[in-house]
Amino acid sequence: PWVFGVEALFDLSSVQAQHKSSFGAADDQFTTAFRSFLMATGRAGYAWNNWLTYVKGGYALAQVRASVDDSVAPTTGSGSDTQWRSGPTVGGGFEYAFTPQLSLGIEYDYIRLDSGSYQLGGGAGSYAWNVSARDVHLLMAKFNYRFDLVR
């Protein structure tokens, strides 16, 4: 009943957060956006009847885009920078198999990313912005199809 395996996941994302500056003219809009995630994990689980429960752990990468938009003239600080951040990931989930090939599940993943400094210069200005988009919580519904490759 014990199940072991490896898993790779690639996910496009549009999750973002915004913050308006509190310095200078207070007109700068800072945005941090997760553009994609890549995870490689090992899985260990226990199966009974048509159910599977599992835990997983591994390594994750996230493409993070930081940008600033200076909305009042002179626009001296608009710009953006995109970097890959990395860190460990852990998670777990449940799956229910309707047939030997089809299952539906729910999974939670926690990713702890390293922070980074983004250069957001543009025009006549320059910003070095330290982004700490560190704690990422993902909740996914999964629909799986298993290919019967062994005969």
Side-chain angles (χ1 to χ4, degrees):
W2 292 99
V3 179
F4 300 96
V6 294
E7 180 178 66
L9 170 83
F10 177 73
D11 183 25
L12 296 174
S13 174
S14 62
V15 175
Q16 67 179 21
Q18 294 183 334
H19 171 74
K20 194 166 212 163
S21 70
S22 58
F23 57 87
D27 63 333
D28 297 338
Q29 183 73 43
F30 291 87
T31 304
T32 303
F34 292 103
R35 311 222 22 208
S36 60
F37 293 97
L38 178 64
M39 293 191 300
T41 56
R43 264 178 35 159
Y46 186 81
W48 73 100
N49 296 329
N50 290 4
W51 288 94
L52 169 67
T53 183
Y54 60 90
V55 294
K56 60 189 275 188
Y59 196 71
L61 295 169
Q63 186 183 41
V64 180
R65 182 176 189 269
S67 63
V68 62
D69 182 29
D70 190 356
S71 58
V72 175
T75 56
T76 59
S78 296
S80 66
D81 187 12
T82 301
Q83 297 178 15
W84 285 93
R85 312 296 340 147
S86 62
T89 181
V90 294
F94 295 95
E95 289 185 21
Y96 180 79
F98 296 100
T99 70
Q101 283 78 35
L102 298 175
S103 67
L104 187 63
I106 189 164
E107 178 177 299
Y108 167 78
D109 294 300
Y110 169 75
I111 303 171
R112 176 70 172 178
L113 297 173
D114 59 352
S115 60
S117 182
Y118 292 76
Q119 182 58 43
L120 306 180
S126 178
Y127 289 115
W129 188 26
N130 292 323
V131 175
S132 292
R134 296 167 79 59
D135 298 318
V136 179
H137 303 272
L138 299 175
L139 184 62
M140 294 184 282
K142 299 169 70 172
F143 177 74
N144 302 302
Y145 180 81
R146 289 171 187 77
F147 296 96
D148 188 10
L149 300 176
V150 179
R151 295 225 180 240

